[in-house]
């Protein structure tokens, strides 16, 4: 499973990444700090399976990014 985390707090992102990377079925955990960077990452990496998405991001509302991701990439779990 390939996971993208969109989280602007580095300490939170590092903690979650550490926990997820210990799971056998997690192949990779990538991290970006802004919603627009996350959408661009998914466009360049369509094999992404799951997006962990913060609600409060510096470049917008996570709920709006969720709707945008869901519309453009309906196969990805959020």
């Amino acid at each position: 499973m390939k996971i993208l985390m969109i989280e602007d707090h580095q300490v939170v992102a590092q903690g979650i990444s550490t926990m997820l990377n210990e799971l056998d079925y997690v192949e990779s955990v990538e991290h970006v700090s802004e919603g627009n960077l996350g959408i661009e990452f998914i466009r360049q990496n369509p094999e992404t399976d799951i997006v962990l998405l913060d609600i409060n991001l510096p470049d917008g509302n996570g709920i709006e990014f969720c709707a945008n991701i869901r519309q453009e990439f309906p196969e990805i779990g959020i």
Side-chain angles (χ1 to χ4, degrees):
M1 177 180 312
K2 295 182 179 185
I3 299 173
L4 170 64
M5 183 179 353
I6 305 173
E7 169 61 61
D8 60 322
H9 294 94
Q10 187 63 32
V11 172
V12 173
Q14 184 60 44
I16 294 172
S17 290
T18 299
M19 289 188 299
L20 290 172
N21 280 316
E22 292 179 6
L23 300 172
D24 292 335
Y25 55 87
V26 174
E27 187 175 329
S28 66
V29 179
E30 301 296 332
H31 168 248
V32 296
S33 60
E34 296 181 7
N36 288 317
L37 294 174
I39 291 172
E40 186 58 36
F41 178 90
I42 297 167
R43 286 179 183 144
Q44 294 177 12
N45 299 275
E47 68 279 359
T48 301
D49 297 304
I50 294 177
V51 174
L52 300 178
L53 178 59
D54 191 358
I55 297 297
N56 298 310
L57 293 164
D59 64 337
N61 181 310
I63 295 171
E64 292 173 10
F65 285 120
C66 180
N68 293 343
I69 293 168
R70 173 75 57 216
Q71 183 177 3
E72 189 170 344
F73 312 98
E75 69 283 357
I76 294 178
I78 302 174

